[in-house]
Every structure is written in structure tokens, then in C-alpha cells.
């Protein structure tokens, strides 16, 4: 019954989609023919060009061929590498290695692609070209991800992301690399971390309007939910991707999305829908004559027919997929398809054929394992040989230095002996004089320290009393001025009303200044407890508190996973709120982008808040943490000049330090360290200050 129903459904679907297939082929044919014509014209022109022009033409051919014809693209990449070595430009050789790595990766030769990427990366690092280094770190990270070296892939991708974050934070670079990092977390089964990254970068991609990036992110999120077997959540993301990519210029990407939707419906056992999407994928793959995609789609058909119970059709589809894999010599794909064919023959009762394909599958898997093992051993031997040569070279350098030191030592040893005796005599006299002076000044220093301590206490008390008690008369002044304007109403002269507005505004600013001064004076005086504080919750609270400011400026706040620290909860809110509010207030022309990152080093928590605002000019950088220091007029930016002084005091109370790096016009990075035991660290700082 299942076979009859499945056959009826599939044959019905073929009739339904034939008109659609014809129309879609008509839609994409002009684009495909245009691309083919452009490729042919490039092939004709480059033999007559000079070497530099020929290299650039080869680069264009590689980019146009690497998705649909990776083997042909790899041939051009090899020619480009040979040509680059004849030219006096290391950057061309780096690009050629990049192209070779990309084309061999597309052909499934991952280890060869890693060799090319490594060679390009080594040369980029040698000539200290940070941009090419970041490009190759991303490519190499993807290759290592494909081979299962997740930690190494994550390290390379993070390093590439750091470069682009520090150099403008371009969404076109940040989003793909972040997506690759999410793919690593997905492979490591850390799905929450992967989904968190996708959810952070998808809104940024939507703001850029880049269709390719938006589609890729929706496609990847759909795949993630597909792996989690949450088909209901996966399907809307695939559909969003198709709405964008269902265009002639995105044929290759559309093939992959159709295949994944077909796989989703197969797993849900919605076999008629699955067949429809696999048919769409197959006709697109055949339209661009991509052997790789054709064999992949036939493999999907095989899985579909297996679910339908049509084992003969499944075997036929797997044979076509196997034929394509054999032509492209993709050993890994051949091994997987043979295993699936063995299962199809077993299900149909053809046990001899099942045994034959299962045996071939196991032999190929052994071959792949041995080749991987040999490559890894060769890589380790190469690394070991390099390290051995480095050690020998360093040993020779050490011996040479030692011989030179011996020669010099024999000349200056007598001089050093005489100078040492003279220094000892002088030190003895100075120490004797210093001891005499210290004895006489000891009591004076103790008295001075006591007076200084009392003075500091009096100053703090004065600041508290002044800021607290002066607010009452200010409120009275403001209230009576407002009452005066209300009572007189229309009788009040226009100029007088303007003066009253100035007075009220001045009273409000003074009240705010006194309020912040009161807050500043309380730090260190109030005995707030140190407790476990989750900085992720602190950032969420600040986002809520600054909701209106964030919304008005369309600010974007990206935060790493932050630690739980020993701190005063209220002070942490004040610290983060001041710094994030400043980043939004002192924005540049671009949309405010604030990145909060974290690392643990030297037994301290280090948090960085980086923005893309107007930055701080060098001449002002020594003043920013001084109380009442303002770098702008009240008309330009409102404020009291206490905020950063308050931040400095909070951080020091937590046994840490605060500093910043900035270039005018290119944003500012504030760095904060927090002690593991802030109460003890702060007490130690107080003792040191008392001794000074």
C-alpha cells in the first residue's frame, strides 16, 4: 500500500511541476548563457595580455568557475601561482595560494587546500600584511572545521574576527566570519552558542540589506533547527532564504536550499513535498551543468525513495549519484553512497549486491583513514623537522653570543671590580647619611600622614554635606521661579520669561551636578556588601535603563558571555551605565555599535567596552578621569564632567584599573580590570596610599 501511494503521489507531482520547471529554465537561461559567454571571452583575451593583466584575468576566471567547475578553476589557480612567482609582488603569490586553497576545497581535497592556505598564511605573516593574514585565517579555519579540528578552527576564526573588529567592523566581513564561528559551535554540539551568534548577526545583516548574507544566515539557522529535529522552526527560515535567493544570479545557493527543504520534508515523511523540492534542485543543477550538485541531489532522491519504500528507484538514484561521485573522484562521497546502496539492496532482498557494496564501502573507509593518518604523520614530521632546525640554529646563536661575552668579559672585568669597590664606598656613606636624616624626619612624616588622612576625611565629608544640603535651596529657587511665571502668565514680559527659563535651566543643571557629586562622595563611605554579581544581568539591566536612548540612536550593543564577579551590585550598574551611555552620547555619523568583550588574564577579569564614536583627541586624554573636566561645551553635549571620575573611583574600589585607547574619529575602547578578591585588593591599595 505504501509503495502504491508513494508512486501515485510522485507521478502526480511530476505533472504539477513540469510547467514550473520549464518557466524557471526560461528565466535562468539568459543569465547562464551570459555567464558562459563572459567566461569564453576571458579565456580568449588573457593569452595576449602582459603578465600582470593575465594574472587578474585568471583571478576573474577562477571566481566564475570555482563553484560550478572547481577542477577547471584549480587549473587556472595553478597557472596563477606559477605566474605570480615570476612577478616581484608577494601579494599576488598570497592571492594565488588563496585561490588554490578555495578550488581544491571545492573539489573535496581538504588536506591539499589546508597546505595551500598554510603556505599563503606563512607568506602573509612574513611580509606583515594583516589584511591577507585575516583572509587566510578565515579560509584555513573553514578547512580545519571541515576536517574536524574544531579548536584550531575556532582559534583561527576568532583571530580573523578580531582583525576586522579592530579595522572598521565592516558587516560584510564580520557577518560571514561570525557565521563560520557559529558553524564550529554547531559541529561541537554547542547549539545554544551557535544560535546566539546567528541571532546577534542576523539583525545586522538585515540592516545592511545584503541579500546574500541575509539568505545565508536564514539558511544556516534552518539547518541548525534541522539538526535539532525541530522541523517546525526550521521551515520558516528556509522559506525566508528562498524568497531572497530564488533569483537567477543565486542559482548555486538556491540548489542547496531546495535540497535541504527536500531533506526536511523527507524526515517529516511529507514525501510529495520532498519530491517537489528535489526536482526543483535537480533541474537547477542540470541547468548549470554542475556534476557536484547533480550527484548530491540524486543522493537526496535515493533517501526519499527509501522512505517511500520504492527500493528499486532508490537504487537507481544512488547509482546516478555514485556515477557523478566517481567522475569527480570524491572518495568520501563514494564511500557514503556505497553504504546507502548496500542498505537499499538489503531492503529489496538483494543480499549479494548489498554485501558487495558494503565491502567496497569498508575498503574505501579504510583507505581514507590510512590516507588521513599518513598526511597527519607527514605534517607532524614536517613540524618536528622545522622545530629541530630552529633549535639547532638557536643553539649556534647562543654559542656565538657566549664566545663574544667571554672576549668582552676578559677586557672589562678589572674595570668592573674597581667600579664596584667605589660604588660600595659611596653607598655606605649615603646610607649612613640617610639613616641620620630618617631618624630626624620619622616623627614629622607620621604627623604629616595623620594630618593628610584627616584632611581627606574632612574633604569627603564636605563634598557630601555640600552636595546634599545645597540641593534644598536650589529646589526652592526653581519652585519660586516656576511659580512666578505661572502667576503672572500673559502679563509677564517676553524677555523676563526668557530670563526665567535660563535661571530654571541653570538650577536644573546645578541640581544634577550636586546629585552626581553626592553619588561620587558616597563611594567608599557607604558600606555596601561585596556579593556574586552576574555581569550579563548587569548589561541587561543597563539596556533596560537606557532603552529610550538606545532606541532614539538605533544603537547596537553586542556582548560576549561575561563572568560572575565579586562586586557591589549597584556600583556595577553605575559603571556599565556610565560607559555605555557615553558611547551612545558621543556617537559619530555611523549607527552606534558597542562591543563588550571579556577575557581572563593575570588572575583578573578584563572587560573591554569598544565603540565607533567620535573618539577622544590626544590633547584631552590625560583629563578625562579628572572630576568636573568637560571636553565639550554644554551646547554640544550635555553633562557634568563627573561620569568618568565616578567610573574610575568605582573600579579602584573593586581593586581594579580603568584606562582607554582612542583615536579621534575612530572610536574609543575602555578597558576595565576587576580583582578576584576586590575587598582585600582595595584594602591593600589604601595601605599603599597611606605609606606614600
Amino acid at each position: 500500500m505504501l509503495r502504491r501511494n508513494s508512486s501515485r503521489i510522485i507521478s502526480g507531482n511530476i505533472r504539477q511541476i513540469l510547467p514550473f520547471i520549464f518557466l524557471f529554465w526560461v528565466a535562468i537561461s539568459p543569465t547562464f548563457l551570459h555567464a558562459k559567454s563572459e567566461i569564453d571571452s576571458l579565456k580568449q583575451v588573457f593569452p595576449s595580455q602582459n603578465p600582470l593583466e593575465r594574472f587578474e584575468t585568471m583571478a576573474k576566471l577562477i571566481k566564475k568557475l570555482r563553484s560550478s567547475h572547481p577542477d577547471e578553476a584549480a587549473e587556472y589557480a595553478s597557472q596563477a601561482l606559477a605566474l605570480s612567482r615570476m612577478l616581484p609582488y608577494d601579494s599576488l603569490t598570497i592571492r594565488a595560494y588563496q585561490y588554490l586553497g578555495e578550488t581544491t576545497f571545492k573539489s573535496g581535497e581538504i588536506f591539499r587546500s589546508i597546505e595551500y592556505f598554510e603556505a599563503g598564511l606563512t607568506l602573509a605573516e612574513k611580509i606583515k600584511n594583516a589584511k591577507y593574514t585575516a583572509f587566510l585565517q578565515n579560509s584555513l579555519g573553514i578547512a580545519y572545521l571541515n576536517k574536524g579540528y574544531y579548536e584550531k578552527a575556532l582559534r583561527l576564526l576568532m583571530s580573523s574576527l578580531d582583525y576586522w573588529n579592530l579595522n572598521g567592523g565592516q558587516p560584510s566581513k564580520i557577518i560571514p566570519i561570525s557565521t563560520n564561528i557559529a558553524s564550529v559551535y554547531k559541529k561541537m554540539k554547542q547549539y545554544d552558542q551557535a544560535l546566539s551568534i546567528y541571532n546577534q548577526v542576523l539583525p545586522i545583516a538585515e540592516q545592511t540589506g545584503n541579500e546574500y548574507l541575509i539568505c545565508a544566515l536564514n539558511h544556516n539557522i534552518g539547518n541548525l533547527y534541522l539538526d535539532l529535529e525541530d522541523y517546525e522552526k526550521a521551515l520558516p527560515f528556509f522559506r525566508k532564504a528562498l524568497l531572497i535567493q530564488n533569483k537567477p544570479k543565486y542559482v548555486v545557493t538556491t540548489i542547496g536550499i531546495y535540497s535541504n527543504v527536500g531533506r526536511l520534508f523527507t524526515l517529516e515523511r511529507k514525501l510529495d513535498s520532498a519530491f517537489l523540492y528535489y526536482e526543483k534542485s535537480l533541474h537547477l543543477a542540470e541547468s548549470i551543468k554542475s556534476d557536484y550538485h547533480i550527484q548530491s541531489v540524486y543522493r537526496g532522491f535515493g533517501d526519499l525513495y527509501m522512505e517511500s519504500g520504492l527500493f528499486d528507484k532508490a537504487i537507481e538514484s544512488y547509482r546516478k549519484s555514485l556515477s557523478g561521485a566517481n567522475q569527480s573522484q570524491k572518495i568520501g562521497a563514494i564511500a557514503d553512497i556505497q553504504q546507502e546502496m548496500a542498505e537499499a539492496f538489503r531492503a529489496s532482498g538483494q543480499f549479494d549486491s548489498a554485501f558487495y557494496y558494503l565491502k567496497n564501502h569498508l575498503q574505501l573507509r579504510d583507505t581514507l583513514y590510512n590516507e588521513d593518518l599518513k598526511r597527519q604523520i607527514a605534517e607532524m614530521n614536517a613540524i618536528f623537522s622545522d622545530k629541530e632546525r630552529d633549535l639547532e640554529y638557536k643553539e649556534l646563536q647562543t654559542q656565538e653570543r657566549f664566545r663574544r661575552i667571554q672576549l668582552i668579559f676578559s677586557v672589562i672585568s678589572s674595570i668592573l671590580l674597581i667600579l664596584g669597590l667605589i660604588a660600595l664606598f659611596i653607598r655606605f656613606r649615603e646610607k649612613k647619611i640617610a639613616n641620620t636624616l630618617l631618624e630626624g624626619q620619622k616623627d614629622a612624616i607620621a604627623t604629616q600622614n595623620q594630618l593628610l588622612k584627616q584632611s581627606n576625611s574632612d574633604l569627603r565629608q564636605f563634598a557630601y554635606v555640600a552636595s546634599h544640603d545645597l540641593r534644598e535651596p536650589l529646589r526652592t529657587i526653581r519652585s519660586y521661579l516656576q511659580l512666578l511665571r505661572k502667576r503672572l502668565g500673559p502679563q509677564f514680559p517676553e524677555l523676563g520669561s526668557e530670563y526665567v527659563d535660563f535661571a530654571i535651566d541653570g538650577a536644573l543643571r546645578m541640581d544634577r551636578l550636586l546629585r552626581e557629586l553626592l553619588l561620587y562622595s558616597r563611594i567608599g563611605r557607604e558600606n555596601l556588601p561585596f556579593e556574586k554579581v552576574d555581569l550579563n544581568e548587569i548589561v541587561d539591566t543597563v539596556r533596560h535603563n537606557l532603552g529610550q536612548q538606545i532606541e532614539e540612536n538605533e544603537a547596537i550593543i553586542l556582548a560576549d558571555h561575561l563572568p560572575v564577579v565579586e562586586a557591589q551590585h549597584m556600583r556595577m550598574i553605575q559603571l556599565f551605565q556610565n560607559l555605555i551611555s557615553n558611547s551612545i552620547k558621543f556617537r559619530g555619523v555611523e549607527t552606534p555599535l558597542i562591543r563588550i568583550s571579556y577575557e581572563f588574564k593575570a588572575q583578573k577579569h578584563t572587560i573591554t567596552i569598544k565603540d565607533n564614536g567620535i573618539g577622544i583627541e590626544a590633547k584631552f586624554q590625560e583629563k578625562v578621569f579628572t572630576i568636573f573636566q568637560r571636553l565639550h561645551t554644554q551646547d554640544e553635549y550635555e553633562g557634568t564632567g563627573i561620569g568618568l571620575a565616578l567610573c574610575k573611583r568605582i573600579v579602584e574600589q573593586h581593586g581594579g584599573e580603568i584606562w582607554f585607547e582612542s583615536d579621534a574619529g575612530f572610536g574609543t575602547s575602555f578597558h576595565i580590570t576587576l580583582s578576584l578578591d576586590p575587598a582585600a585588593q582595595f584594602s591593600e591599595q589604601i595601605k599603599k596610599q597611606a605609606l606614600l
Side-chain angles (χ1 to χ4, degrees), residues 501-533:
D501 288 339
F502 287 152
I504 291 173
D505 184 62
L508 287 170
R509 287 205 304 273
M510 179 62 77
D511 183 71
R512 181 182 173 189
L513 179 64
L514 291 172
R515 190 169 60 250
E516 293 193 9
L517 180 60
L518 178 62
L519 179 62
Y520 181 82
S521 68
R522 280 175 175 168
I523 297 175
R525 298 177 72 253
E526 294 181 340
N527 190 22
L528 296 177
F530 285 88
E531 57 187 336
K532 298 291 183 184
V533 177

Side-chain angles (χ1 to χ4, degrees), residues 82-93:
L83 184 61
S84 71
R85 288 170 173 164
M86 300 166 57
L87 297 168
Y89 306 109
D90 287 331
S91 59
L92 296 184
T93 305

